[in-house]
Amino acid sequence: MEELLDDLNDKQKEAVEYLDGPLLILAGAGSGKTRVLTYKMAYLLEKEIVKPWEILAITFTNKAANEMKERVNNLIGEKAEDVWLGTFHSICVRILKREIGILGFSNTFNIFDDLDKDKVIKEIVKNLKIDEKQYPISLLKYEISKAKDNMKDYKKYKKEAMGDFRKEQIADIYEVYQKTLKQNNSIDFDDIIMFTVKIFSENPDILMKYQSKFKYILVDEYQDTNKAQFLLISLISASHGNICVVGDESQSIYGFRGADISNILNFEKEFSNAKIVKLEENYRSTQNILNAANAVIKNNKSKIDKNLWTSNEIGEKIVYKTLDNEYAEVEYIVEKIDEICRKENMTYADFAVLFRTNAQARVLEEVFVKSGTPYRLIGGLKFYSRKEIKDLTSYLKLIQNTSDNIALKRIINEPKRGIGDTALQRLEQIAIEKNISIFDVMQDSDNLVGIRSAGNIIMFRDMINSIIARKDSLKVSDLMKVILKESGYEDMLNEDATKDAENRFENLMEFIGVAMEFETESADNTLADFLDSIALVSDVDKLEEDAEAVTLMTMHSAKGLEFNVVFIVGMEEGLFPSRRSIDEDEACEEERRLCYVAITRAKKKLYITNASKRTLYGSTAYCINSRFIAEIPEELFDDEGKENIEKRKKKSQKYIDKEYVQVEGILEKTGGYFGGIPSKSTSKVTPFGIDVNSFLNNISGTKNVAKNIDNTNKYVVGMSIKHKKFGIGTIQKIDPEDDDLKLEIMFDKYGFKRLMANHTPLEILD
């Protein structure tokens, strides 16, 4: 083992060998954090400091967990097989399978996915006679999810909502939603950790059992943890303090999902006598790329000081290019990829194009298809969200847990069996009256008297019962084949000669392939285990690293990956950083961390592009360079990039000279300096929240910007307005959208509407 540790640098070795209490390994991008975690686990096992089953190692993706276990096995044999190693959710599911009975659930519970959640909440809103326009399903899902991340059950949420009518309505929906889950012996993704923490918090004996069991805890990607996850590991580690977390606050980019950067920033406060080891040597990128990343991230206030460096070569300068529009931008990228492939013996798999928002993907795909350049888009329609996959999964869920009414209602008439909505509503009514599941209602034929499709219901019931009887004797993949055959689903697709039916059949075969791969991992895997595994899978877990294609993906999806050549597209204010973050310091700092992540995905070459004019969300606007470009020292850019920066400066000066009087008057309304001459306000911030010097260095299309500020600056939240069609309403929320404003308005007669300020004639009433 000592010889193996000799492969580590001094800081990595220090982190591996430290075992005396809480440890934060502050691991910069590309500094070998997975290597350190792997070696630390191997060190603990090889030195017999703990038994394998006494280690709890938590990651954020199944891919990372599998990679870690494989690496440990390569180092010391198969000693890691009994380590509790997995994602937060998979570990907690494992605990819940043993302990959830104390909350009144059976251990055969199912896990609702996002589409299940949609369907249930939509039905609740309908039954409660609540206007979905005023309470969009996406808003309700977000509120419930956020509450669970913050450990608020519906009772606590309802208590805090008192006096706020809107929140009270959401609390009612939350309550019915949770009760519906329990009636179906199901939980959703957000319940997994919340319920585990709840069990530990309310049952000291159960907590003590797991505290005694896990003598050493390792947590990867600690900067991405939320409140519930922090509470979980705090509770388990409280008795011994042997907790080692690895993370990088500069890569905390999931605040919108509830990640709390303060968990890593305050580690020393939360865990007494904590030690910090900084990993700053980067093994991935050239020094020029690292210098750019360091220069950008140093502008954040919420950070722990560190400086990435490398023994790699200085490397090529960063290429920066401004194109006329979004199509020219992507055409330039495609040309560059082909040129590099020809001249430098690279393959398409060496390239990644990173973008800020999914809306940018449309033009990327369009140009790539037209050019014939092979690509893979990460983050399109998810495999497990496809109808046929959802259908087969619902059959499996019902066979595993006959209390799952949601699964039953999805497939009772899929394929068509002549069981209509009226019959299903009658079954559901009886189930409610008798407080049993719909499937249990079907078991007693007396309940079916008077239902016209009773014969079809009995056939469906008997088919499901027959498959349940064989469930434990069949492998999951064989069970899936039986379902497709006996349910009539396979015949339905065979009778449909369309290409869509063929594609759906191929997807189902791929799904059976997933089950077969699952079965090779262990002969003991059950249907319950399989359903748990597919409920926890992610898109990035399925990323094929050797695919011969250019990877197109959002910057968020790219975290943890690396490519020889990276293009960061759309580096414009309002796009990146996003328009919603510009006026909020914390949000803008997260955008800057996202920029840091994007830059450090590149190993050898980095390209930054933007457009002078861009059409997005149906609106065309002149673009202002991203502030992040100005934060990169000019000497790191190639000669063309430097010329591009100078050209933009001159263009800005042209507008200053010609349009000063006109623009100054507008800026006076919001405050700011322009052209070095102060307006009446003493603020040095433009309407975009940009430092004025950055604004002047980067602006293109000042006239357009000024015009739209003038048009939209008149609206404020709470203002009464009148619309020609919808009548009188009150502005509830205002969001910047490119060169326009999105107004969320509650109209007296027509309810909630979203309108664009520049395209909507509104009369201000007060």
Side-chain angles (χ1 to χ4, degrees):
M1 174 54 67
E2 292 301 326
E3 292 180 4
L4 284 173
L5 293 188
D6 288 343
D7 292 337
L8 304 177
N9 66 39
D10 290 344
K11 286 294 181 181
Q12 290 174 336
K13 189 174 181 180
E14 179 185 354
V16 168
E17 292 183 319
Y18 185 81
L19 303 172
D20 301 323
L23 171 66
L24 167 60
I25 303 173
L26 198 66
S31 62
K33 71 175 180 63
T34 303
R35 180 180 177 85
V36 171
L37 273 179
T38 301
Y39 273 74
K40 193 170 188 73
M41 200 184 306
Y43 186 79
L44 288 166
L45 295 174
E46 188 69 5
K47 290 286 188 179
E48 297 185 347
I49 296 166
V50 291
K51 304 294 184 185
W53 51 88
E54 294 174 333
I55 295 177
L56 173 62
I58 305 176
T59 67
F60 268 81
T61 67
N62 295 307
K63 179 183 176 183
N66 293 333
E67 180 183 344
M68 200 177 298
K69 181 172 286 190
E70 184 179 343
R71 288 192 187 187
V72 176
N73 287 342
N74 289 339
L75 287 174
I76 60 171
E78 297 186 353
K79 292 184 180 180
E81 288 302 319
D82 291 326
V83 170
W84 276 50
L85 173 59
T87 65
F88 271 101
H89 289 91
S90 65
I91 292 293
C92 286
V93 166
R94 194 169 173 182
I95 293 171
L96 290 176
K97 288 291 182 181
R98 302 180 178 196
E99 314 294 349
I100 201 170
I102 204 164
L103 297 181
F105 290 81
S106 160
N107 63 5
T108 61
F109 64 85
N110 284 336
I111 301 170
F112 272 28
D113 64 17
D114 210 44
L115 293 180
D116 293 330
K117 195 171 181 178
D118 275 353
K119 187 173 182 180
V120 173
I121 293 177
K122 195 177 185 72
E123 192 169 318
I124 291 169
V125 168
K126 181 181 177 182
N127 291 340
L128 293 178
K129 295 181 171 52
I130 291 173
D131 187 353
E132 191 178 320
K133 294 177 182 178
Q134 295 187 35
Y135 295 86
I137 302 302
S138 59
L139 168 69
L140 297 172
K141 285 169 57 183
Y142 171 77
E143 281 291 322
I144 293 171
S145 181
K146 185 173 70 171
K148 292 180 179 183
D149 282 348
N150 287 292
M151 294 301 301
K152 296 178 184 177
D153 59 17
Y154 71 82
K155 293 178 182 177
K156 187 172 183 180
Y157 187 94
K158 180 169 280 193
K159 187 175 181 180
E160 292 181 2
M162 289 180 65
D164 183 331
F165 178 76
R166 191 170 177 80
K167 290 279 188 181
E168 287 176 347
Q169 287 279 76
I170 295 173
D172 290 341
I173 295 166
Y174 184 7
E175 178 179 3
V176 177
Y177 172 67
Q178 285 304 110
K179 290 179 177 178
T180 302
L181 284 172
K182 194 162 188 179
Q183 288 167 1
N184 284 272
N185 192 37
S186 297
I187 63 176
D188 69 16
F189 203 72
D190 299 306
D191 286 325
I192 293 172
I193 297 176
M194 185 178 79
F195 280 2
T196 307
V197 172
K198 180 179 174 67
I199 290 170
F200 285 166
S201 300
E202 297 176 356
N203 301 276
D205 54 330
I206 296 177
L207 174 60
M208 191 179 299
K209 179 172 68 174
Y210 287 92
Q211 287 177 337
S212 301
K213 175 178 176 57
F214 299 124
K215 294 188 168 55
Y216 214 97
I217 300 170
L218 302 168
V219 184
D220 194 11
E221 304 287 8
Y222 188 64
Q223 76 281 346
D224 294 333
T225 53
N226 59 27
K227 180 177 179 179
Q229 291 161 344
F230 167 76
L231 287 172
L232 176 74
I233 60 176
S234 297
L235 286 167
I236 299 176
S237 65
S239 66
H240 50 69
N242 292 325
I243 179 169
C244 169
V245 304
V246 183
D248 179 7
E249 90 293 344
S250 295
Q251 296 186 70
S252 180
I253 59 174
Y254 296 118
F256 66 96
R257 292 183 187 169
D260 187 350
I261 192 174
S262 68
N263 288 349
I264 190 167
L265 293 175
N266 297 331
F267 185 81
E268 288 179 284
K269 295 179 182 177
E270 300 292 346
F271 297 93
S272 58
N273 303 316
K275 179 181 177 64
I276 294 182
V277 176
K278 296 181 183 180
L279 305 183
E280 298 172 292
E281 182 176 2
N282 177 282
Y283 292 91
R284 175 189 299 155
S285 307
T286 65
Q287 190 62 55
N288 267 338
I289 290 170
L290 297 181
N291 287 343
N294 288 331
V296 169
I297 203 64
K298 76 177 183 181
N299 292 280
N300 271 5
K301 295 177 183 177
S302 299
K303 66 180 187 298
I304 303 173
D305 289 335
K306 62 183 177 301
N307 192 62
L308 293 181
W309 62 276
T310 185
S311 297
N312 296 340
E313 60 185 355
I314 295 295
E316 297 181 21
K317 298 284 189 179
I318 297 167
V319 178
Y320 164 47
K321 185 83 171 175
T322 298
L323 288 306
D324 290 339
N325 54 49
E326 67 274 16
Y327 282 95
E329 181 183 32
V330 184
E331 287 163 1
Y332 166 78
I333 291 168
V334 169
E335 290 170 5
K336 274 295 171 187
I337 290 172
D338 287 339
E339 178 186 320
I340 295 170
C341 284
R342 287 196 313 271
K343 293 181 177 179
E344 302 186 32
N345 197 32
M346 288 194 186
T347 67
Y348 290 123
D350 288 311
F351 298 85
V353 181
L354 308 183
F355 47 91
R356 175 62 183 85
T357 176
N358 282 310
Q360 294 170 263
R362 182 187 62 80
V363 174
L364 281 163
E365 281 202 274
E366 194 174 322
V367 175
F368 268 78
V369 168
K370 187 177 179 181
S371 70
T373 304
Y375 72 93
R376 52 180 180 172
L377 176 65
I378 307 302
L381 178 61
K382 295 179 177 64
F383 179 77
Y384 293 98
S385 297
R386 298 180 186 278
K387 181 185 183 302
E388 59 275 13
I389 304 303
K390 287 284 294 176
D391 287 343
L392 183 49
T393 300
S394 293
Y395 273 105
L396 293 172
K397 284 183 173 183
L398 181 62
I399 288 163
Q400 170 62 20
N401 170 21
T402 55
S403 295
D404 192 338
N405 291 335
I406 306 302
L408 181 144
K409 287 194 286 185
R410 181 180 181 92
I411 49 88
I412 191 171
N413 207 37
E414 189 64 41
K416 301 296 183 186
R417 296 188 176 88
I419 303 173
D421 290 342
T422 302
L424 185 55
Q425 287 168 9
R426 177 59 185 151
L427 293 174
E428 194 168 13
Q429 182 182 350
I430 297 171
I432 293 170
E433 290 171 356
K434 296 191 174 186
N435 196 27
I436 58 177
S437 71
I438 296 175
F439 194 78
D440 285 341
V441 171
M442 295 179 182
Q443 300 290 64
D444 185 351
S445 297
D446 289 344
N447 290 327
L448 307 181
V449 174
I451 298 177
R452 290 178 61 185
S453 54
N456 295 334
I457 293 170
I458 291 170
M459 289 174 63
F460 171 78
R461 175 199 71 190
D462 292 345
M463 181 263 296
I464 295 295
N465 281 332
S466 172
I467 297 175
I468 289 173
R470 290 170 280 167
K471 178 189 72 170
D472 295 332
S473 62
L474 292 172
K475 294 187 297 185
V476 176
S477 57
D478 290 335
L479 184 64
M480 293 163 83
K481 294 173 186 175
V482 168
I483 291 169
L484 291 176
K485 188 74 176 176
E486 297 186 11
S487 69
Y489 207 104
E490 184 176 336
D491 289 340
M492 175 187 72
L493 293 179
N494 286 336
E495 290 167 7
D496 188 343
T498 65
K499 184 68 177 175
D500 178 62
E502 182 181 334
N503 290 336
R504 290 171 66 192
F505 185 79
E506 289 174 355
N507 288 334
L508 288 167
M509 295 304 102
E510 177 69 14
F511 193 22
I512 292 174
V514 170
M516 293 172 71
E517 288 180 12
F518 177 81
E519 289 157 3
T520 62
E521 296 175 10
S522 169
D524 297 326
N525 282 328
T526 64
L527 173 58
D529 294 329
F530 179 70
L531 289 171
D532 290 342
S533 73
I534 63 173
L536 302 173
V537 76
S538 75
D539 263 6
V540 175
D541 287 337
K542 303 192 295 292
L543 182 62
E544 299 175 27
E545 295 180 357
D546 58 350
E548 185 49 51
V550 177
T551 300
L552 312 180
M553 66 197 318
T554 64
M555 297 169 197
H556 284 96
S557 296
K559 186 168 174 289
L561 304 177
E562 59 184 43
F563 302 88
N564 281 327
V565 185
V566 168
F567 292 84
I568 304 176
V569 304
M571 288 283 277
E572 300 143 19
E573 287 291 310
L575 185 54
F576 188 45
S578 72
R579 61 189 179 276
R580 291 182 178 87
S581 70
I582 286 174
D583 291 325
E584 299 177 18
D585 289 343
E586 288 186 14
C588 193
E589 289 209 352
E590 179 155 318
E591 291 286 293
R592 187 173 283 109
R593 293 193 291 269
L594 186 58
C595 184
Y596 172 90
V597 167
I599 290 172
T600 53
R601 299 313 94 196
K603 296 168 69 175
K604 296 179 179 179
K605 296 175 183 285
L606 176 63
Y607 288 78
I608 292 174
T609 65
N610 56 20
S612 294
K613 183 173 64 176
R614 182 180 300 274
T615 300
L616 195 65
Y617 308 117
S619 176
T620 301
Y622 289 95
C623 304
I624 303 170
N625 279 18
S626 168
R627 68 191 68 187
F628 303 144
I629 294 175
E631 292 173 358
I632 299 173
E634 284 190 25
E635 62 266 21
L636 297 181
F637 290 106
D638 67 351
D639 290 340
E640 186 179 1
K642 292 176 186 175
E643 290 175 10
N644 191 22
I645 291 170
E646 289 302 316
K647 189 186 300 181
R648 303 282 273 184
K649 285 182 180 178
K650 289 178 181 178
K651 190 171 184 180
S652 299
Q653 189 62 48
K654 171 185 171 184
Y655 283 110
I656 293 167
D657 294 340
K658 290 187 175 182
E659 305 295 334
Y660 171 69
V661 176
Q662 176 189 347
V663 177
E664 182 196 22
I666 294 167
L667 288 180
E668 280 182 3
K669 297 177 183 178
T670 56
Y673 281 74
F674 199 84
I677 302 174
S679 69
K680 294 176 183 177
S681 168
T682 57
S683 169
K684 291 188 178 181
V685 176
T686 70
F688 301 94
I690 315 165
D691 176 83
V692 70
N693 293 323
S694 175
F695 180 85
L696 292 176
N697 287 341
N698 292 305
I699 189 170
S700 72
T702 303
K703 286 190 260 187
N704 186 73
V705 171
K707 173 178 175 290
N708 286 305
I709 294 169
D710 192 38
N711 286 346
T712 59
N713 194 45
K714 57 190 177 183
Y715 298 117
V716 296
V717 173
M719 177 181 283
S720 294
I721 54 85
K722 185 175 182 180
H723 185 276
K724 186 175 180 180
K725 177 180 178 182
F726 302 127
I728 296 174
T730 304
I731 297 176
Q732 305 287 319
K733 188 178 179 183
I734 301 175
D735 279 325
E737 180 121 350
D738 297 319
D739 62 339
D740 203 346
L741 293 180
K742 182 193 289 180
L743 306 178
E744 297 189 359
I745 303 172
M746 181 63 72
F747 287 98
D748 295 348
K749 292 185 178 180
Y750 287 84
F752 182 80
K753 301 288 181 185
R754 289 189 180 92
L755 304 172
M756 303 307 296
N758 282 336
H759 303 281
T760 306
L762 296 175
E763 178 187 346
I764 296 174
L765 300 181
D766 59 10

